Amino acid sequence: MLTVGDKLPALTLPVQQGTSALPAGETIDLGQTNGKWKILFYWPKDFTFVCPTEIVGYGKLKSDFADRDAELIGASTDTAHVHFAWRRSDAELADADFPWIADNGAKLASELGILDKDEHVAFRATFIVDPDNVIQHVTVNGLNVGRNPQETLRVLDALQTDELCPCNWTKGEEVLHPIAA
């Protein structure tokens, strides 16, 4: 599995966003950074039970991530048409207006090393990637346990301080300033 310090694969992949038109070959270039951080999170499969709770949770924080110069990107190993149908079937998912990578060939998931060998879907993996496309944080959950998007935001805040942040640190609190003896 790719980890902290590794480069995010610079792939161009199919993507789906919005509910107004059928997917028409739109793509996202993960090699482009535009000077922004990326929050890339994978869920196992569309039309499931835990996944929409995470997508909606991340979607509600989209503007908070944007305020921190971070682009929110979701992904699964489903197709763009399946993403489109799922968004159209659920108003809360429709409101989760950020790009959803359609990695149905599992190309990116394979390069990231996050495929469940038995189920052949991606684990619940979250990557925080800096503006140089270097992975700075990774968390991976099994298929049955959802994530806490607020924790992803907290970790992004800590990473962006470029300081020593203690346990449970939140934005606005003091960072550590060790004194040499």
Side-chain angles (χ1 to χ4, degrees), residues 10-180:
L11 299 174
T12 299
L13 298 162
V15 70
Q16 193 280 324
Q17 187 166 353
T19 59
S20 60
L22 284 171
E26 295 84 4
T27 60
I28 188 168
D29 181 353
L30 294 178
Q32 293 293 318
T33 66
N34 302 318
K36 295 188 180 284
W37 291 73
K38 290 182 182 88
I39 308 300
L40 171 63
F41 73 101
Y42 260 87
W43 60 88
K45 207 169 179 75
D46 293 3
F47 290 100
T48 58
F49 303 102
V50 176
C51 300
T53 66
E54 295 179 311
I55 296 165
V56 169
Y58 274 103
K60 288 180 180 177
L61 295 176
K62 179 185 173 191
S63 65
D64 294 304
F65 287 115
D67 289 346
R68 291 153 173 86
D69 290 323
E71 180 181 13
L72 185 60
I73 306 167
S76 83
T77 53
D78 288 296
T79 68
H81 284 85
V82 172
H83 285 340
F84 177 75
W86 198 26
R87 278 185 162 163
R88 298 265 314 206
S89 73
D90 184 303
E92 286 187 303
L93 291 174
D95 288 342
D97 189 27
F98 52 88
W100 294 11
I101 292 174
D103 189 20
N104 64 309
K107 186 172 183 176
L108 179 59
S110 293
E111 287 200 31
L112 292 170
I114 59 168
L115 281 177
D116 179 285
K117 290 177 178 78
D118 296 325
E119 297 294 323
H120 308 289
V121 296
F123 288 115
R124 296 180 193 286
T126 306
F127 296 85
I128 300 178
V129 182
D130 72 19
D132 295 318
N133 247 9
V134 176
I135 297 167
Q136 296 298 328
H137 176 81
V138 179
T139 58
V140 180
N141 292 9
L143 301 179
N144 63 335
V145 177
R147 290 162 282 202
N148 181 342
Q150 192 68 48
E151 174 64 3
T152 305
L153 187 64
R154 186 195 74 80
V155 172
L156 175 64
D157 285 337
L159 288 168
Q160 289 182 336
T161 70
D162 203 27
E163 299 284 344
L164 298 173
C165 297
C167 176
N168 296 323
W169 177 91
T170 58
K171 189 174 183 171
E173 293 181 350
E174 281 294 314
V175 294
L176 299 176
H177 300 286
I179 299 174

